[in-house]
Amino acid sequence: MSQFDYKEYYDRHRPHIHPPGATLFVTFRLAGSIPKAVLRQYRAQKLWLEQESQRLAKEKANSPSEAVEAHQARLAEFHRKWFLQFEDILHQEQNGPMWLREDKIGGLVANKLRQDDIEKYRLDAYCIMSNHVHVVFTPNLTEANLSEEMTPQGLRFVSDEPTLPQIMQSLKGVTARDANLALGRSGSFWESESYDHYVRDEAEFFRVVKYTLNNPVKAGLVKDWRDWPGNFLAELLNDWAQSWDA
């Protein structure tokens, strides 16, 4: 059973907590695919911003202020900037392993993503590149299947549906184990951090799906997203896909 302080975290605008029922755009990458010096800089800035976010939220818990809103905008811009920087590095394919370009390894990831469709989420699209993965899905966790529970630590929300961290832990854990076995290696397979963003409206949803599928086009690997073997689009979206130019 999933259990988390949803009301507390969401009211404080924690960046890794999303509204139940939200569609998510998630990116995760192979361990070692980003230079260590770049990661150190990113993590140091991220830690300071998140600590500052928590401090401001505690100070203004009962009275939202322009300072809190401005900091949240700053935090969102920070994530957007680093996402784009990481994307450029990943597309250059100059750092770390490229195991996902192997059909067997990429296939393990694709199989797990599809296996969890319906059971854990509604899968809309994904793109498996040589060193990272983009996926768009809507977890089954919604307001309707949440219930309140009082604990010694305070009010908590519980659900039989998995949270995003639980979905990612299972996805990355299973595929890391199977991939390492297939490669005859041990050690970290995925970077521990993932980038996640919740989609706010229909227009953004279609932009995110298009961005996901166009990843190999942007990287200069194919001219049409349909030609990339690591791409997947839910059948219900096929008619829409015919209306845009890749």
Side-chain angles (χ1 to χ4, degrees):
M1 177 174 289
S2 303
Q3 189 175 67
F4 58 101
D5 294 312
Y6 169 73
K7 184 172 288 185
E8 176 186 352
Y9 287 154
Y10 186 59
D11 287 348
R12 292 186 180 183
H13 307 285
R14 290 291 295 273
H16 60 285
I17 299 298
H18 306 293
T23 296
L24 305 176
F25 169 60
V26 182
T27 298
F28 52 107
R29 59 187 185 273
L30 294 178
S33 55
I34 301 293
K36 291 182 178 180
V38 176
L39 280 179
R40 281 196 296 270
Q41 182 184 2
Y42 163 74
R43 287 168 178 162
Q45 293 180 12
K46 178 184 176 184
L47 178 62
W48 183 87
L49 282 167
E50 290 186 346
Q51 289 175 338
E52 183 69 2
S53 181
Q54 292 175 33
R55 183 187 67 79
L56 286 172
K58 288 179 181 178
E59 289 181 0
K60 309 293 182 180
N62 299 317
S63 56
S65 69
E66 292 183 2
V68 173
E69 293 180 0
H71 187 77
Q72 292 305 316
R74 183 180 180 186
L75 191 57
E77 176 61 19
F78 165 83
H79 285 290
R80 187 194 70 82
K81 182 193 75 172
W82 278 99
F83 172 79
L84 294 175
Q85 184 171 338
F86 286 159
E87 279 286 273
D88 287 342
I89 293 172
L90 292 168
H91 285 170
Q92 292 171 17
E93 297 188 342
Q94 295 178 350
N95 301 280
M98 307 291 168
W99 293 313
L100 299 177
R101 67 170 50 157
E102 298 184 26
D103 292 343
K104 185 175 183 179
I105 307 304
L108 290 172
V109 179
N111 289 340
K112 178 60 175 170
L113 285 167
R114 297 195 191 200
Q115 176 185 325
D116 289 345
D117 186 20
I118 300 178
E119 180 181 346
K120 297 181 180 180
Y121 49 69
R122 184 199 72 208
L123 181 61
D124 295 306
Y126 65 69
C127 176
I128 300 173
M129 299 289 283
S130 64
N131 55 12
H132 67 291
V133 179
H134 296 298
V135 59
V136 182
F137 58 68
T138 305
N140 293 340
L141 179 66
T142 66
E143 293 278 6
N145 53 47
L146 280 172
S147 59
E148 295 183 356
E149 178 181 277
M150 285 302 301
T151 72
Q153 291 75 37
L155 178 67
R156 301 179 78 90
F157 280 78
V158 297
S159 175
D160 290 329
E161 299 294 346
T163 62
L164 174 61
Q166 290 169 332
I167 290 172
M168 295 307 299
Q169 181 180 13
S170 172
L171 171 60
K172 294 167 80 172
V174 169
T175 54
R177 180 198 65 205
D178 293 347
N180 275 342
L181 185 62
L183 292 166
R185 69 179 297 275
S186 60
S188 298
F189 185 80
W190 298 110
E191 191 69 56
S192 59
E193 295 159 329
S194 300
Y195 170 87
D196 52 86
H197 167 79
Y198 89 85
V199 179
R200 291 167 173 78
D201 54 41
E202 184 178 88
E204 186 178 25
F205 170 77
F206 288 120
R207 287 197 301 271
V208 165
V209 170
K210 187 174 181 179
Y211 177 90
T212 297
L213 298 175
N214 261 336
N215 225 235
V217 178
K218 181 181 178 181
L221 301 172
V222 292
K223 292 184 178 180
D224 190 308
W225 67 269
R226 298 169 185 83
D227 296 331
W228 185 249
N231 270 351
F232 165 84
L233 180 67
E235 186 174 350
L236 289 174
L237 297 174
N238 282 339
D239 288 344
W240 163 76
Q242 303 303 319
S243 68
W244 55 271
D245 296 326

